[in-house]
mmCIF file of all heavy atoms in Angstrom:
data_model
loop_
_atom_site.group_PDB
_atom_site.id
_atom_site.type_symbol
_atom_site.label_atom_id
_atom_site.label_comp_id
_atom_site.label_asym_id
_atom_site.label_seq_id
_atom_site.Cartn_x
_atom_site.Cartn_y
_atom_site.Cartn_z
ATOM 1 N N SER A 191 113.975 111.041 86.712
ATOM 2 C CA SER A 191 115.355 111.472 86.916
ATOM 3 C C SER A 191 115.842 112.269 85.715
ATOM 4 O O SER A 191 115.459 112.000 84.570
ATOM 5 C CB SER A 191 116.272 110.260 87.130
ATOM 6 O OG SER A 191 115.934 109.564 88.310
ATOM 7 N N SER A 192 116.688 113.238 85.963
ATOM 8 C CA SER A 192 117.264 114.038 84.887
ATOM 9 C C SER A 192 118.344 113.233 84.167
ATOM 10 O O SER A 192 118.826 112.206 84.677
ATOM 11 C CB SER A 192 117.867 115.317 85.450
ATOM 12 O OG SER A 192 119.012 115.019 86.255
ATOM 13 N N GLU A 193 118.730 113.696 82.996
ATOM 14 C CA GLU A 193 119.777 113.009 82.246
ATOM 15 C C GLU A 193 121.097 113.004 83.013
ATOM 16 O O GLU A 193 121.833 112.008 82.996
ATOM 17 C CB GLU A 193 119.956 113.653 80.871
ATOM 18 C CG GLU A 193 118.777 113.404 79.930
ATOM 19 C CD GLU A 193 119.028 113.942 78.532
ATOM 20 O OE1 GLU A 193 119.990 114.721 78.358
ATOM 21 O OE2 GLU A 193 118.249 113.578 77.623
ATOM 22 N N SER A 194 121.396 114.082 83.692
ATOM 23 C CA SER A 194 122.642 114.138 84.462
ATOM 24 C C SER A 194 122.618 113.140 85.620
ATOM 25 O O SER A 194 123.633 112.512 85.934
ATOM 26 C CB SER A 194 122.891 115.553 84.985
ATOM 27 O OG SER A 194 121.852 115.975 85.853
ATOM 28 N N GLN A 195 121.461 112.972 86.253
ATOM 29 C CA GLN A 195 121.337 111.984 87.321
ATOM 30 C C GLN A 195 121.513 110.571 86.771
ATOM 31 O O GLN A 195 122.201 109.742 87.369
ATOM 32 C CB GLN A 195 119.972 112.112 87.998
ATOM 33 C CG GLN A 195 119.811 113.344 88.863
ATOM 34 C CD GLN A 195 118.396 113.488 89.400
ATOM 35 O OE1 GLN A 195 117.414 113.306 88.668
ATOM 36 N NE2 GLN A 195 118.262 113.830 90.670
ATOM 37 N N LEU A 196 120.903 110.298 85.631
ATOM 38 C CA LEU A 196 121.037 108.978 85.019
ATOM 39 C C LEU A 196 122.479 108.709 84.606
ATOM 40 O O LEU A 196 122.976 107.585 84.749
ATOM 41 C CB LEU A 196 120.108 108.871 83.809
ATOM 42 C CG LEU A 196 118.604 108.979 84.108
ATOM 43 C CD1 LEU A 196 117.811 109.043 82.806
ATOM 44 C CD2 LEU A 196 118.120 107.812 84.964
ATOM 45 N N ASP A 197 123.172 109.724 84.123
ATOM 46 C CA ASP A 197 124.574 109.557 83.729
ATOM 47 C C ASP A 197 125.450 109.252 84.944
ATOM 48 O O ASP A 197 126.393 108.456 84.858
ATOM 49 C CB ASP A 197 125.076 110.816 83.020
ATOM 50 C CG ASP A 197 124.402 111.025 81.666
ATOM 51 O OD1 ASP A 197 123.756 110.080 81.166
ATOM 52 O OD2 ASP A 197 124.524 112.146 81.118
ATOM 53 N N ARG A 198 125.144 109.870 86.067
ATOM 54 C CA ARG A 198 125.911 109.577 87.285
ATOM 55 C C ARG A 198 125.661 108.141 87.741
ATOM 56 O O ARG A 198 126.571 107.469 88.239
ATOM 57 C CB ARG A 198 125.554 110.567 88.395
ATOM 58 C CG ARG A 198 126.120 111.968 88.174
ATOM 59 C CD ARG A 198 126.060 112.795 89.458
ATOM 60 N NE ARG A 198 124.696 113.035 89.896
ATOM 61 C CZ ARG A 198 123.957 114.069 89.498
ATOM 62 N NH1 ARG A 198 124.456 114.939 88.620
ATOM 63 N NH2 ARG A 198 122.741 114.247 89.961
ATOM 64 N N MET A 199 124.429 107.678 87.578
ATOM 65 C CA MET A 199 124.130 106.284 87.929
ATOM 66 C C MET A 199 124.866 105.310 87.014
ATOM 67 O O MET A 199 125.355 104.276 87.455
ATOM 68 C CB MET A 199 122.619 106.051 87.881
ATOM 69 C CG MET A 199 121.876 106.596 89.085
ATOM 70 S SD MET A 199 120.114 106.234 89.001
ATOM 71 C CE MET A 199 119.490 107.807 88.468
ATOM 72 N N MET A 200 124.959 105.647 85.734
ATOM 73 C CA MET A 200 125.709 104.815 84.811
ATOM 74 C C MET A 200 127.161 104.700 85.259
ATOM 75 O O MET A 200 127.760 103.610 85.203
ATOM 76 C CB MET A 200 125.641 105.409 83.402
ATOM 77 C CG MET A 200 126.489 104.673 82.370
ATOM 78 S SD MET A 200 126.476 105.444 80.724
ATOM 79 C CE MET A 200 127.493 106.895 81.051
ATOM 80 N N ALA A 201 127.730 105.796 85.722
ATOM 81 C CA ALA A 201 129.141 105.823 86.110
ATOM 82 C C ALA A 201 129.410 105.013 87.368
ATOM 83 O O ALA A 201 130.571 104.716 87.672
ATOM 84 C CB ALA A 201 129.598 107.266 86.310
ATOM 85 N N ARG A 202 128.369 104.649 88.100
ATOM 86 C CA ARG A 202 128.575 103.788 89.262
ATOM 87 C C ARG A 202 128.927 102.361 88.860
ATOM 88 O O ARG A 202 129.581 101.641 89.612
ATOM 89 C CB ARG A 202 127.314 103.757 90.128
ATOM 90 C CG ARG A 202 126.968 105.048 90.833
ATOM 91 C CD ARG A 202 125.721 104.849 91.663
ATOM 92 N NE ARG A 202 125.324 106.047 92.371
ATOM 93 C CZ ARG A 202 124.274 106.111 93.181
ATOM 94 N NH1 ARG A 202 123.533 105.029 93.374
ATOM 95 N NH2 ARG A 202 123.967 107.239 93.798
ATOM 96 N N SER A 203 128.470 101.944 87.684
ATOM 97 C CA SER A 203 128.655 100.541 87.287
ATOM 98 C C SER A 203 129.530 100.359 86.061
ATOM 99 O O SER A 203 129.998 99.247 85.804
ATOM 100 C CB SER A 203 127.291 99.888 87.020
ATOM 101 O OG SER A 203 126.627 100.523 85.933
ATOM 102 N N HIS A 204 129.776 101.440 85.280
ATOM 103 C CA HIS A 204 130.538 101.327 84.040
ATOM 104 C C HIS A 204 131.367 102.593 83.806
ATOM 105 O O HIS A 204 131.080 103.648 84.372
ATOM 106 C CB HIS A 204 129.600 101.135 82.843
ATOM 107 C CG HIS A 204 128.934 99.801 82.789
ATOM 108 N ND1 HIS A 204 127.894 99.460 83.635
ATOM 109 C CD2 HIS A 204 129.158 98.713 81.995
ATOM 110 C CE1 HIS A 204 127.500 98.212 83.359
ATOM 111 N NE2 HIS A 204 128.244 97.746 82.382
ATOM 112 N N PHE A 205 132.359 102.451 82.952
ATOM 113 C CA PHE A 205 133.067 103.616 82.442
ATOM 114 C C PHE A 205 133.179 103.486 80.929
ATOM 115 O O PHE A 205 133.098 102.379 80.375
ATOM 116 C CB PHE A 205 134.455 103.766 83.079
ATOM 117 C CG PHE A 205 135.443 102.692 82.689
ATOM 118 C CD1 PHE A 205 136.269 102.852 81.576
ATOM 119 C CD2 PHE A 205 135.570 101.533 83.444
ATOM 120 C CE1 PHE A 205 137.191 101.876 81.218
ATOM 121 C CE2 PHE A 205 136.491 100.540 83.089
ATOM 122 C CZ PHE A 205 137.299 100.718 81.973
ATOM 123 N N LEU A 206 133.331 104.601 80.263
ATOM 124 C CA LEU A 206 133.457 104.621 78.814
ATOM 125 C C LEU A 206 134.920 104.786 78.425
ATOM 126 O O LEU A 206 135.612 105.646 78.978
ATOM 127 C CB LEU A 206 132.635 105.760 78.212
ATOM 128 C CG LEU A 206 131.118 105.748 78.441
ATOM 129 C CD1 LEU A 206 130.471 106.919 77.710
ATOM 130 C CD2 LEU A 206 130.515 104.430 77.984
ATOM 131 N N ASP A 207 135.385 103.951 77.487
ATOM 132 C CA ASP A 207 136.750 104.118 77.005
ATOM 133 C C ASP A 207 136.787 105.199 75.918
ATOM 134 O O ASP A 207 135.760 105.816 75.588
ATOM 135 C CB ASP A 207 137.337 102.793 76.517
ATOM 136 C CG ASP A 207 136.618 102.231 75.285
ATOM 137 O OD1 ASP A 207 135.857 102.972 74.626
ATOM 138 O OD2 ASP A 207 136.821 101.028 74.987
ATOM 139 N N LYS A 208 137.955 105.430 75.346
ATOM 140 C CA LYS A 208 138.116 106.510 74.372
ATOM 141 C C LYS A 208 137.320 106.271 73.099
ATOM 142 O O LYS A 208 137.055 107.209 72.343
ATOM 143 C CB LYS A 208 139.597 106.689 74.059
ATOM 144 C CG LYS A 208 140.410 107.185 75.248
ATOM 145 C CD LYS A 208 141.877 107.345 74.899
ATOM 146 C CE LYS A 208 142.676 107.847 76.094
ATOM 147 N NZ LYS A 208 144.123 107.983 75.773
ATOM 148 N N ARG A 209 136.954 105.015 72.856
ATOM 149 C CA ARG A 209 136.177 104.692 71.663
ATOM 150 C C ARG A 209 134.673 104.719 71.926
ATOM 151 O O ARG A 209 133.876 104.413 71.034
ATOM 152 C CB ARG A 209 136.592 103.320 71.128
ATOM 153 C CG ARG A 209 138.046 103.258 70.662
ATOM 154 C CD ARG A 209 138.371 101.891 70.098
ATOM 155 N NE ARG A 209 139.745 101.818 69.601
ATOM 156 C CZ ARG A 209 140.273 100.740 69.054
ATOM 157 N NH1 ARG A 209 139.540 99.634 68.936
ATOM 158 N NH2 ARG A 209 141.531 100.750 68.628
ATOM 159 N N GLY A 210 134.295 105.040 73.164
ATOM 160 C CA GLY A 210 132.876 105.113 73.495
ATOM 161 C C GLY A 210 132.253 103.781 73.824
ATOM 162 O O GLY A 210 131.026 103.637 73.744
ATOM 163 N N ARG A 211 133.047 102.832 74.231
ATOM 164 C CA ARG A 211 132.515 101.525 74.633
ATOM 165 C C ARG A 211 132.391 101.463 76.148
ATOM 166 O O ARG A 211 133.249 101.973 76.872
ATOM 167 C CB ARG A 211 133.431 100.392 74.156
ATOM 168 C CG ARG A 211 132.928 99.015 74.533
ATOM 169 C CD ARG A 211 133.831 97.912 74.022
ATOM 170 N NE ARG A 211 133.361 96.606 74.446
ATOM 171 C CZ ARG A 211 133.964 95.456 74.168
ATOM 172 N NH1 ARG A 211 135.086 95.449 73.447
ATOM 173 N NH2 ARG A 211 133.466 94.303 74.595
ATOM 174 N N ALA A 212 131.308 100.844 76.637
ATOM 175 C CA ALA A 212 131.078 100.730 78.081
ATOM 176 C C ALA A 212 131.784 99.503 78.634
ATOM 177 O O ALA A 212 131.624 98.394 78.108
ATOM 178 C CB ALA A 212 129.585 100.647 78.372
ATOM 179 N N TRP A 213 132.551 99.718 79.696
ATOM 180 C CA TRP A 213 133.242 98.612 80.368
ATOM 181 C C TRP A 213 132.724 98.507 81.803
ATOM 182 O O TRP A 213 132.606 99.519 82.495
ATOM 183 C CB TRP A 213 134.744 98.837 80.372
ATOM 184 C CG TRP A 213 135.348 98.726 79.013
ATOM 185 C CD1 TRP A 213 135.579 99.734 78.127
ATOM 186 C CD2 TRP A 213 135.767 97.520 78.374
ATOM 187 N NE1 TRP A 213 136.131 99.252 76.968
ATOM 188 C CE2 TRP A 213 136.260 97.892 77.087
ATOM 189 C CE3 TRP A 213 135.787 96.174 78.735
ATOM 190 C CZ2 TRP A 213 136.752 96.956 76.182
ATOM 191 C CZ3 TRP A 213 136.281 95.244 77.832
ATOM 192 C CH2 TRP A 213 136.760 95.629 76.585
ATOM 193 N N PRO A 214 132.414 97.301 82.255
ATOM 194 C CA PRO A 214 131.834 97.139 83.595
ATOM 195 C C PRO A 214 132.863 97.283 84.702
ATOM 196 O O PRO A 214 134.035 96.929 84.525
ATOM 197 C CB PRO A 214 131.272 95.711 83.555
ATOM 198 C CG PRO A 214 132.174 94.991 82.597
ATOM 199 C CD PRO A 214 132.519 96.009 81.539
ATOM 200 N N LEU A 215 132.405 97.774 85.829
ATOM 201 C CA LEU A 215 133.229 97.852 87.031
ATOM 202 C C LEU A 215 133.008 96.604 87.882
ATOM 203 O O LEU A 215 132.867 96.680 89.105
ATOM 204 C CB LEU A 215 132.905 99.129 87.808
ATOM 205 C CG LEU A 215 133.271 100.427 87.081
ATOM 206 C CD1 LEU A 215 132.698 101.636 87.821
ATOM 207 C CD2 LEU A 215 134.782 100.555 86.938
ATOM 208 N N HIS A 216 132.912 95.465 87.219
ATOM 209 C CA HIS A 216 132.773 94.175 87.888
ATOM 210 C C HIS A 216 133.361 93.102 86.986
ATOM 211 O O HIS A 216 133.578 93.320 85.790
ATOM 212 C CB HIS A 216 131.308 93.860 88.214
ATOM 213 C CG HIS A 216 130.413 93.839 87.012
ATOM 214 N ND1 HIS A 216 129.597 94.908 86.670
ATOM 215 C CD2 HIS A 216 130.204 92.898 86.054
ATOM 216 C CE1 HIS A 216 128.932 94.625 85.561
ATOM 217 N NE2 HIS A 216 129.283 93.404 85.164
#
Side-chain angles (χ1 to χ4, degrees):
S191 296
S192 68
E193 290 185 347
S194 61
Q195 288 174 316
L196 297 172
D197 292 346
R198 287 195 296 272
M199 283 182 258
M200 175 183 73
R202 292 181 180 181
S203 63
H204 289 74
F205 68 90
L206 299 183
D207 65 15
K208 294 180 180 179
R209 297 182 178 180
R211 180 179 177 181
W213 291 93
L215 294 170
H216 58 260

